[in-house]
Amino acid sequence: MNSGELLERSLAYALGSVAEVGPAGLGRETPCAEWDLAELLEHLDDSLDALYEGLTGGRVGLFPRADRLCGFRTRACAVLGAWAAGPPRSALVGERPLDVRVMGAVGAVEIAVHGWDVAQACGRPRPIPVALAAELLSVARCVVAEEDRGVRFAAPVVVPPRARADVRLLGFLGRRDSFPR
């Protein structure tokens, strides 16, 4: 698996979801129970900031940066540019080293799934492309531990065994493949 390609595909998907978000809908509910759409977008910005920090400085701070001078598209392009420039082999997350390929793959899961959340909140269902979802599911299964349930992720949702990869990914991460508004 090429983490850079996975990250690029996830960002492209999320950019499509975020493209038509307008200020009027920022208070909408999202599949992330504790966040409205504005808070979810802020979390996505924080995720991109963390990726950028790790790719350019070799260290991810434990607290988000306060400067919010550019939009999601600009941040996404900066992350892709940093990856293309040749990131360091590892980055410190707090005081723990993390291989940047793992950081990129985990970031891809985060970005794509929250891109799906954004589309759902906006009432524009956009399935995660099946091939992308299959790769993200293999990453998610490696990094989401049982102790993450109830803290970072909801309990898995049971889906049919032959469900498409996007439905299985969403179910594994505690989401149904549709969001009731």
Side-chain angles (χ1 to χ4, degrees):
M1 165 187 350
N2 179 328
S3 296
E5 179 189 325
L6 193 60
L7 185 58
E8 183 176 354
R9 290 166 46 215
S10 290
L11 283 165
Y13 170 78
L15 282 164
S17 296
V18 171
E20 295 186 34
V21 173
L26 293 177
R28 293 179 185 198
E29 291 181 25
T30 71
C32 305
E34 284 90 41
W35 294 336
D36 65 16
L37 185 53
E39 292 164 325
L40 175 59
L41 292 170
E42 187 173 316
H43 174 70
L44 264 170
D45 269 355
D46 290 344
S47 296
L48 289 178
D49 274 348
L51 280 168
Y52 186 77
E53 287 176 10
L55 294 172
T56 59
R59 177 182 274 286
V60 176
L62 295 180
F63 301 101
R65 294 188 342 217
D67 64 326
R68 299 222 173 266
L69 300 176
C70 58
F72 185 80
R73 180 176 302 281
T74 303
R75 289 182 195 283
C77 289
V79 166
L80 288 175
W83 189 278
R89 293 176 67 88
S90 66
L92 291 177
V93 179
E95 297 304 317
R96 303 186 84 174
L98 180 64
D99 185 306
V100 292
R101 294 171 300 182
V102 173
M103 184 177 69
V106 170
V109 172
E110 170 97 355
I111 290 162
V113 172
H114 284 318
W116 180 86
D117 293 334
V118 168
Q120 291 293 308
C122 292
R124 295 179 296 119
R126 267 184 100 232
I128 298 171
V130 173
L132 174 60
E135 291 180 69
L136 296 175
L137 180 57
S138 68
V139 172
R141 285 185 172 148
C142 290
V143 299
V144 176
E146 200 52 45
E147 55 268 15
D148 291 323
R149 303 293 180 177
V151 179
R152 292 182 188 93
F153 301 96
V157 172
V158 177
V159 299
R162 294 190 182 267
R164 292 185 329 256
D166 60 320
V167 174
R168 288 183 286 135
L169 172 65
L170 295 169
F172 180 75
L173 296 176
R175 291 162 170 82
R176 300 193 184 289
D177 65 340
S178 64
F179 173 63
R181 274 167 292 291

